Amino acid sequence: MSQKPNFLRKVERGDLCAGCGGCALVSDQKITMETVAPGYLRPRVKAPLSAEEDARIARLCPGLGQSVAAQGRTDDVLWGPYEEMCEGWATDPALRHTGSSGAALSAILVSVLDSGLVDGVVQTAADPDRPTANRAVISTTRAEVLAAAGSRYAPSAPLADLGPCLESGKRYAFVGKPCDVAALRALARQDARIEATFVLMVSFFCAGVPSLAGADAVLKALGAAPEEVQAFRYRGNGWPGQATATLQDGQTRSMSYHDSWGGILSKHVQHRCKICADGTGKDADIVCADAWHADEKGYPLFTEDAGISLIVARTALGAAQIVQAETAGLLETRPFDRSRLEAMQPGQSGRRKALLARLIGLRLMGQPIPQYKGLHLRAAARRNSPKVLLRNMLGTMRRVVRPKRG
């Protein structure tokens, strides 16, 4: 392409792509998502876009910004708008064991399928051709939901594959990263088919998207070559569960969540995630996360245990589906004390409180940044210390001068 679309020039200049695939969905096949080094999904423009198409993509692109409105809900500075919070877990022992935490998200998906609210669930599962990578799947049964359960710490672009759903006349639940859901909500403001088709949007707390090079680094640490691997789980089969590679000869090699995510994968997270204002799914109907136990200092413990999910109903529809799952006997819940959340999720709260300083650092270096509305960046920054804010601003500026490679 001799002339890149305006939205993509800005996204590329600031390294702002989240990899959601929204641009591919609305481009009439003029954009595809492709894997680029070191293993992120990025748009490739195959044919010229009209000015209208370019503007439409810019309005939905989560890399360029996000707008959230409280609309009468409790609107927490750090955690965003919500109706209620609770803890819970799937009553099905197999589902609870397989999921990344208490499998509350999976139990709710089974419930909305059983109740007839939706005909299918769009979610992310392992790619059989590259087990550390991802693909979008449509689940219509409990068995299929179970097969896709568990976190997938690798790039995914689920919006790119939604075209057939929009033409199907069926109703779906959509499960995606917070940025995926933000893009889908933004597109719904332009296209009435979105809310008619994706009647429930579900997300999870996200600490960022690592590249496939991160997954390869995990395999290397396990002493496994990519071509030897027939299946790979990032977590699950316990809480938090281990990163486990199953080799072609049936052997398994595993690594703790602390070592796989904390020691390797978190170091491969893409730039856009480090300046994300919404790692907690503020545009979703329901969001689930790990309800970590904490030590005496309040820091999360990652010792193996029966999984427990934090469940956040962000809309009345979401709250109703949680009740429905409980009534159906698929989900058990108990009250949750909101004051525990900051210590339970220190990575999320820390990034939110540091974000404004990081964005200022980028602006001072002449870099484009996302435009955030209704996400309380100043109020969150006021909960941080000047020393930490300064360190984040200077660190961000330094990374612009000396970007990390690979």
Side-chain angles (χ1 to χ4, degrees):
M1 291 298 298
S2 59
Q3 183 71 31
K4 289 184 178 178
N6 290 330
F7 91 90
L8 190 55
R9 288 205 299 271
K10 183 175 181 180
V11 166
E12 289 186 347
R13 187 163 71 87
D15 194 13
L16 298 177
C17 185
C20 69
C23 54
L25 172 63
V26 302
S27 69
D28 194 24
Q29 300 183 337
K30 295 177 182 179
I31 296 176
T32 59
M33 299 300 292
E34 298 186 357
T35 302
V36 302
Y40 297 123
L41 287 165
R42 296 292 182 260
R44 179 190 174 199
V45 182
K46 300 173 67 176
L49 299 179
S50 68
E52 181 181 353
E53 288 170 328
D54 184 71
R56 186 184 189 196
I57 293 171
R59 288 194 295 270
L60 71 86
C61 177
L64 296 178
Q66 183 179 357
S67 178
V68 176
Q71 298 178 322
R73 297 169 290 174
T74 299
D75 193 10
D76 190 280
V77 166
L78 295 180
W79 310 109
Y82 68 95
E83 296 284 346
E84 60 185 53
M85 296 185 185
C86 60
E87 290 181 338
W89 51 88
T91 57
D92 180 335
L95 204 58
R96 186 178 186 183
H97 179 73
T98 302
S100 291
S101 54
L105 189 154
S106 296
I108 292 166
L109 298 180
V110 173
S111 174
V112 297
L113 284 169
D114 288 351
S115 71
L117 177 71
V118 301
D119 301 298
V121 174
V122 179
Q123 57 187 145
T124 297
D127 185 339
D129 295 328
R130 186 173 182 174
T132 55
N134 293 323
R135 64 169 181 163
V137 298
I138 296 178
S139 300
T140 59
T141 66
R142 173 197 170 279
E144 290 171 340
V145 170
L146 179 64
S151 297
R152 298 291 306 170
Y153 297 132
S156 61
L159 271 67
D161 300 310
L162 297 184
C165 295
L166 291 174
E167 303 299 329
S168 70
K170 296 181 179 180
R171 297 175 301 175
Y172 298 90
F174 175 83
V175 185
K177 303 181 299 296
C179 54
D180 302 333
V181 175
L184 201 57
R185 287 288 189 203
L187 182 57
R189 293 191 280 271
Q190 306 179 56
D191 187 341
R193 295 179 302 164
I194 298 299
E195 287 191 351
T197 302
F198 302 102
V199 298
L200 184 72
M201 300 187 194
V202 181
S203 193
F204 41 82
F205 281 22
C206 176
V209 177
S211 69
L212 288 171
D216 288 344
V218 172
L219 292 180
K220 183 177 180 180
L222 291 172
E227 62 272 15
E228 294 180 290
V229 179
Q230 65 164 314
F232 188 83
R233 290 188 62 90
Y234 286 89
R235 324 175 32 187
N237 290 337
W239 186 47
Q242 297 188 321
T244 302
T246 303
L247 307 186
Q248 298 289 351
D249 62 7
Q251 293 185 62
T252 60
R253 298 180 185 176
S254 298
M255 179 187 299
S256 72
Y257 171 74
H258 179 269
D259 291 339
S260 62
W261 172 260
I264 299 177
L265 292 167
S266 62
K267 295 177 173 59
H268 292 264
V269 168
Q270 62 187 356
H271 168 71
R272 176 62 181 80
C273 301
K274 297 174 184 177
I275 55 170
C276 178
D278 180 21
T280 60
K282 296 177 179 65
D283 272 312
D285 294 299
I286 302 171
V287 188
C288 293
D290 290 285
W292 298 117
H293 300 308
D295 61 20
E296 64 277 2
K297 296 180 180 179
Y299 194 79
L301 297 170
F302 301 133
T303 51
E304 290 292 320
D305 203 346
I308 303 174
S309 300
L310 170 69
I311 310 169
V312 183
R314 294 204 180 276
T315 65
L317 172 63
Q321 297 314 308
I322 293 168
V323 172
Q324 170 63 34
E326 288 184 275
T327 302
L330 296 167
L331 180 69
E332 185 171 341
T333 69
R334 66 189 182 196
F336 176 75
D337 180 356
R338 153 66 188 83
S339 67
R340 296 170 50 207
L341 186 48
E342 192 165 348
M344 182 183 286
Q345 292 280 343
Q348 294 289 348
S349 59
R351 182 174 59 191
R352 287 279 294 139
K353 292 187 289 186
L355 179 57
L356 182 61
R358 295 179 183 182
L359 295 176
I360 290 172
L362 289 171
R363 287 297 296 270
L364 290 174
M365 298 300 290
Q367 298 295 299
I369 60 174
Q371 300 301 305
Y372 293 125
K373 297 180 180 179
L375 287 154
H376 308 303
L377 303 191
R378 290 183 178 84
R382 285 194 290 269
R383 298 191 180 188
N384 218 333
S385 71
K387 181 179 179 180
V388 172
L389 292 172
L390 180 62
R391 185 169 67 242
N392 273 271
M393 184 183 75
L394 295 177
T396 301
M397 296 170 72
R398 187 164 53 247
R399 282 188 287 275
V400 173
V401 176
R402 298 194 298 272
K404 181 180 177 181
R405 303 296 180 188

